[in-house]
Amino acid sequence: MDDGWMSEDSGSRPDFFTRFTTKVAKVLGHAWVFSAAVIILIVWAFTGPLLGFSDTWQLVINTGTTIVTFLMVFIIQNTQNRDSAALHVKLDAVMRELRITNSKLYQAEDEGEKELEEQRRRIEQEAESD
């Protein structure tokens, strides 16, 4: 049923950062990337005795892991934000199709933890009474 409230815009394309973070997240989520990271750590550990476990040797791994961690925080947060927003859009569409009119449900992501827990309990009680 298409009543015109949602339309596909085939001409729009995600911005560069969105395309970049999506691609990076997909690539870095593969098992071979994890394996490569483990291999790098093993190679680094084996070079310790050769380099006398120097401060520079330790600084290399500390700096490398800090930079990777810092950048990954932004990539992960971006992909999670988009995923969450897409999920909200899909749930809103389902709620609209089911003709759910409870405005508190439509704005549940703006509620605090206590309010969300109260809503969850209320919905569970309603489900049990049905």
Side-chain angles (χ1 to χ4, degrees):
M1 176 173 116
D2 183 19
D3 55 4
W5 69 278
M6 285 182 97
S7 64
E8 283 189 40
D9 184 6
S10 58
S12 78
R13 183 173 171 192
D15 61 59
F16 172 78
F17 187 67
T18 298
R19 292 191 317 269
F20 174 76
T21 55
T22 300
K23 185 93 166 167
V24 169
K26 284 181 183 177
V27 168
L28 295 179
H30 288 283
W32 66 267
V33 175
F34 176 78
S35 300
V38 170
I39 290 168
I40 289 170
L41 289 175
I42 291 170
V43 168
W44 171 79
F46 277 112
T47 61
L50 300 173
L51 300 172
F53 299 103
S54 68
D55 289 343
T56 302
W57 173 78
Q58 292 178 26
L59 188 60
V60 166
I61 199 69
N62 288 341
T63 303
T65 55
T66 299
I67 290 169
V68 168
T69 302
F70 178 75
L71 294 175
M72 285 307 298
V73 165
F74 297 104
I75 291 171
I76 291 168
Q77 189 63 52
N78 179 269
T79 55
Q80 283 183 331
N81 288 348
R82 281 187 288 110
D83 186 53
S84 179
L87 187 59
H88 286 286
V89 167
K90 292 173 184 180
L91 286 173
D92 287 349
V94 169
M95 290 169 60
R96 184 178 179 280
E97 285 296 315
L98 295 174
R99 296 182 178 13
I100 295 172
T101 59
N102 184 343
S103 63
K104 280 199 133 322
L105 288 177
Y106 279 98
Q107 288 132 10
E109 64 271 11
D110 297 330
E111 299 289 334
E113 287 184 47
K114 206 184 291 185
E115 292 86 3
L116 288 173
E117 185 60 27
E118 288 173 12
Q119 282 190 38
R120 186 190 62 77
R121 272 195 230 113
R122 189 182 72 250
I123 290 170
E124 282 180 352
Q125 289 171 349
E126 288 174 6
E128 289 174 0
S129 67
D130 287 345

